[in-house]
Amino acid sequence: MNQSISTNTQAILLLTAPLITGNGAANGELLTNREYRWVARQLRELGYVPADLLGNNSAELLRELETVIPADRIHRLLDRGFLISQAVERWHSRAIWVISRADSEYPTMIKNRLKEDSPTVLYGCGQPRLLEKGGLAIVGSRHVDQTLIDYTESVGQQCAAAKKSVVSGGAAGIDRAAMRGALEAGGRVAGVLADSLERAVLHRDNRNWLLDEQMVLVSPYDPSAGFNVGHAMQRNKLIYALADAALVVSAEYEKGGTWAGATEQLQKLRFVTVYVRSTGDVGDGLQALQKMGAQPWPNPKSLDEFLATFDLAVSIAANSEQQSSLPLSAGNTNSSDESAPVSNLHQSTPPPRDSDLPAAENRSTITDHNDAQNHAESLIAFVRNILIDVLAKPKTEKEVSTTLQISKSQTSLWLQRFVEEGLIEKRTKPVKYVLRQKTLL
């Protein structure tokens, strides 16, 4: 792939990316995903694209954006020219490319399914076109026995024989077993990483697969970024968004990233048909997923049976009555395209108020779930995802309340709930809340 970075992508990187070069941490003023969405909408309404922020009339444009983000903050971010040049040089030396939603190479499956919730930028190594192949998402726990490793490798081999890509997360255990099985059988693999892309592309076990164009590794996070629980949870939806069907090989009940990603897919996103392993000791986790709507994997014995299983899954997903959109989406598959300015597209969208959040969630994700328990579970999942975004950096209770525009008492209740759940931790001196750094699986 041509590793040149478009001017639009340069501007987006300056606004949103930490540009880690090994010499320091991320800039604390970076725009969050939500803040950047507001900026992108405003730019479209004014008839501009992100690259215009780097042009001769940028001062006037920054004044136009004052209603969204303070001009001095955007100016300081855009003034990181030397840092971005260092970062780009580092990425290029490692054959890492970067694309944004403004680029034509950005995966259409992600953009069409996640819409405005699509990652602003994607970093990767290998052929981006492999991200457009669809395939079978194969996911599961890190710590499994050899029996499950062998089982998973055999499914990866079946994918290769059927010329279907494997999409997985690149983690130890099930993810790597699925990818290895497909690659060694001559198949194609798309690995969606939550951290350490730079280390992965330099690993000797991956180099030949990348050079032979059998594998692409991609991440929505800086190539040098380490593990972060919020990042790991957010990348799950990308795995499903890039696939045509999914197989969950193992999952702990109500615990870990595999469980979180599968339940989100079954109850909220509904991009693909989800299968679960149906042989051996499936455990409480897979049984619970099946009760939520996952289908038992039929264990196809031949190529024809595998293709029939795969095609059936694609047909079920395509004919699903509900194609859910994520909260805060414009409901337009082109709404996240920053490369094409659209004047008077719609009125500027302000940060959502507390009263808006559950209503939007109900409209887009729980139309088929009318009982009180499912309503409550959907609302909790929605707030959990919001806090993952908001608490990427430590914040006081007041700052969280202000950001979400909800009362302090309600903020306190949500924070306490997720402290007890283990998603976030409460720090003292001063009292602040932040995502807990821990292994998911």
Side-chain angles (χ1 to χ4, degrees):
M1 175 184 175
N2 186 345
Q3 292 185 349
S4 62
I5 297 178
S6 69
T7 308
N8 273 322
T9 296
Q10 290 180 42
I12 294 170
L13 285 168
L14 288 169
L15 293 174
T16 65
L19 305 177
I20 301 172
T21 61
N23 299 319
N27 188 309
E29 292 190 316
L30 296 176
L31 300 189
T32 65
N33 289 340
R34 188 177 303 178
E35 287 175 326
Y36 177 72
R37 286 197 292 264
W38 301 333
V39 169
R41 291 172 186 169
Q42 188 77 355
L43 286 173
R44 289 198 302 273
E45 291 166 15
L46 294 170
Y48 292 101
V49 293
D52 292 319
L53 292 169
L54 304 177
N56 295 330
N57 298 323
S58 60
E60 179 181 347
L61 182 53
L62 291 183
R63 286 194 293 272
E64 293 280 1
L65 296 176
E66 276 280 350
T67 58
V68 183
I69 304 292
D72 58 345
R73 181 181 172 194
I74 296 182
H75 179 76
R76 286 192 294 271
L77 290 171
L78 295 176
D79 199 30
R80 300 187 297 155
F82 179 69
L83 187 59
I84 196 174
S85 66
Q86 286 185 304
V88 169
E89 182 178 357
R90 182 183 179 94
W91 300 334
H92 285 183
S93 70
R94 291 156 174 77
I96 293 173
W97 42 259
V98 57
I99 54 178
S100 72
R101 294 187 314 212
D103 296 320
S104 60
E105 299 90 347
Y106 194 94
T108 55
M109 292 181 73
I110 292 178
K111 185 177 287 189
N112 289 344
R113 284 175 164 174
L114 295 179
K115 300 181 174 62
E116 285 191 337
D117 204 49
S118 304
T120 306
V121 296
L122 288 174
Y123 307 87
C125 185
Q127 281 297 332
R129 67 172 179 269
L130 295 180
L131 299 172
E132 302 285 6
K133 299 293 185 180
L136 181 67
I138 305 177
V139 296
S141 304
R142 292 173 182 264
H143 306 294
V144 294
D145 60 27
Q146 189 60 43
T147 300
L148 283 188
I149 293 294
D150 294 341
Y151 172 90
T152 306
E153 287 183 353
S154 69
V155 178
Q157 292 164 4
Q158 286 184 309
C159 288
K163 300 189 183 306
K164 302 296 183 183
S165 295
V166 166
V167 185
S168 199
I174 294 301
D175 289 11
R176 291 181 190 170
M179 296 166 72
R180 183 169 56 250
L183 290 167
E184 292 180 351
R188 301 183 301 257
V189 162
V192 186
L193 309 185
D195 63 276
S196 307
L197 173 66
E198 181 178 294
R199 185 172 62 191
V201 302
L202 294 176
H203 198 287
R204 62 183 181 180
D205 290 346
N206 295 328
R207 293 306 298 173
N208 288 338
W209 304 124
L210 291 166
L211 291 172
D212 291 344
E213 299 186 1
Q214 280 185 251
M215 178 169 69
V216 60
L217 296 176
V218 65
S219 177
Y221 307 110
D222 190 283
S224 297
F227 182 82
N228 176 292
V229 63
H231 290 177
M233 292 185 72
Q234 288 297 310
R235 72 86 193 266
N236 288 332
K237 59 171 62 72
L238 295 181
I239 295 174
Y240 289 99
L242 287 169
D244 298 311
L247 169 61
V248 182
V249 176
S250 63
E252 293 187 66
Y253 179 66
E254 293 189 342
K255 183 179 180 182
T258 302
W259 170 268
T263 54
E264 180 183 46
Q265 176 58 213
L266 287 165
Q267 297 181 328
K268 178 180 178 182
L269 302 177
R270 301 190 181 98
F271 297 148
V272 299
T273 299
V274 177
Y275 290 102
V276 293
R277 177 173 55 88
S278 57
T279 59
D281 181 10
V282 298
D284 294 340
L286 297 188
Q287 290 178 15
L289 292 178
Q290 193 166 339
K291 290 178 181 178
M292 293 180 193
Q295 302 298 312
W297 181 248
N299 301 301
K301 299 296 190 297
S302 66
L303 177 60
D304 287 343
E305 288 180 2
F306 181 90
L307 289 172
T309 298
F310 191 88
D311 292 343
L312 176 61
V314 174
S315 177
I316 291 173
N319 292 309
S320 175
E321 292 182 0
Q322 179 171 350
Q323 294 295 324
S324 298
S325 61
L326 294 176
L328 307 179
S329 165
N332 182 330
T333 58
N334 295 319
S335 62
S336 57
D337 185 0
E338 285 84 19
S339 62
V342 182
S343 297
N344 300 321
L345 180 63
H346 51 70
Q347 293 184 346
S348 180
T349 305
R353 297 184 180 276
D354 179 47
S355 59
D356 296 332
L357 299 182
E361 181 70 358
N362 288 340
R363 286 194 301 271
S364 62
T365 64
I366 56 175
T367 55
D368 293 329
H369 301 271
N370 295 319
D371 59 279
Q373 181 179 356
N374 281 334
H375 277 267
E377 289 174 353
S378 295
L379 177 58
I380 292 167
F382 179 68
V383 177
R384 182 184 293 114
N385 286 335
I386 293 293
L387 287 178
I388 286 172
D389 190 9
V390 170
L391 294 178
K393 296 181 178 66
K395 285 185 173 62
T396 65
E397 182 178 295
K398 182 178 180 181
E399 288 172 331
V400 175
S401 176
T402 301
T403 300
L404 300 182
Q405 297 190 25
I406 61 177
S407 68
K408 187 175 180 180
S409 60
Q410 187 169 358
T411 301
S412 179
L413 289 173
W414 282 118
L415 291 174
Q416 182 59 37
R417 178 187 184 91
F418 291 115
V419 167
E420 294 173 356
E421 182 179 296
L423 177 71
I424 61 178
E425 61 178 313
K426 182 178 181 180
R427 296 179 178 176
T428 57
K429 298 182 180 179
V431 175
K432 288 192 175 184
Y433 296 85
V434 68
L435 284 177
R436 183 180 296 277
Q437 304 296 307
K438 66 178 182 179
T439 303
L440 283 176
L441 299 172

